[in-house]
Amino acid sequence: MATVKVDKSNFQADVLDAKEPVVVDFWAEWCGPCKMIAPALEDIAVELGGKVKIAKLNIDENPELAAQFGVRSIPTLMIFKDGEMADMKVGAAPKTALSHWINGNLA
């Protein structure tokens, strides 16, 4: 499964009400490090299939959601389980580190 785009209209349904854990990538078009990790997140989304959903949220288009979750710098990744934020990672990282962080939160 590829990454999905979320915004204020579908955040509740696609993230908070999701049955599987959801990694939300808070990003922006102008953010270099955000663009650096995008291919790794796409790969991880495919590799982990139905175990986790990876969603991308553009903070310029959805500033209220970024503010609601206290996003101060990007990229910020948050893992949501059962409607609650379970963990957060700020900053770019190599694919192996991102994969390890995500898998560690699935247990």
Side-chain angles (χ1 to χ4, degrees):
M1 173 188 278
T3 59
V4 296
K5 182 179 177 184
V6 293
D7 57 31
K8 63 185 174 203
S9 70
N10 64 354
F11 193 84
Q12 181 72 40
D14 287 358
V15 177
L16 302 179
D17 294 340
K19 299 206 181 311
E20 71 273 79
V22 182
V23 175
V24 179
D25 173 21
F26 291 85
W27 73 287
E29 197 65 49
W30 48 264
C31 169
C34 298
K35 290 181 178 183
M36 260 177 33
I37 67 169
L41 292 174
E42 291 287 344
D43 289 348
I44 292 167
V46 171
E47 290 165 10
L48 293 180
K51 293 182 193 169
V52 66
K53 181 191 300 182
I54 299 186
K56 299 181 70 64
L57 184 135
N58 185 316
I59 64 162
D60 288 337
E61 296 171 0
N62 301 278
E64 61 288 326
L65 283 171
Q68 179 182 338
F69 292 102
V71 174
R72 296 188 187 279
S73 66
I74 53 173
T76 292
L77 301 172
M78 294 184 186
I79 295 184
F80 289 84
K81 293 181 185 175
D82 301 318
E84 300 287 326
M85 193 210 357
D87 200 5
M88 178 172 69
K89 183 175 188 61
V90 178
K95 180 184 172 187
T96 52
L98 293 171
S99 187
H100 180 74
W101 176 72
I102 292 168
N103 278 306
N105 276 285
L106 296 182

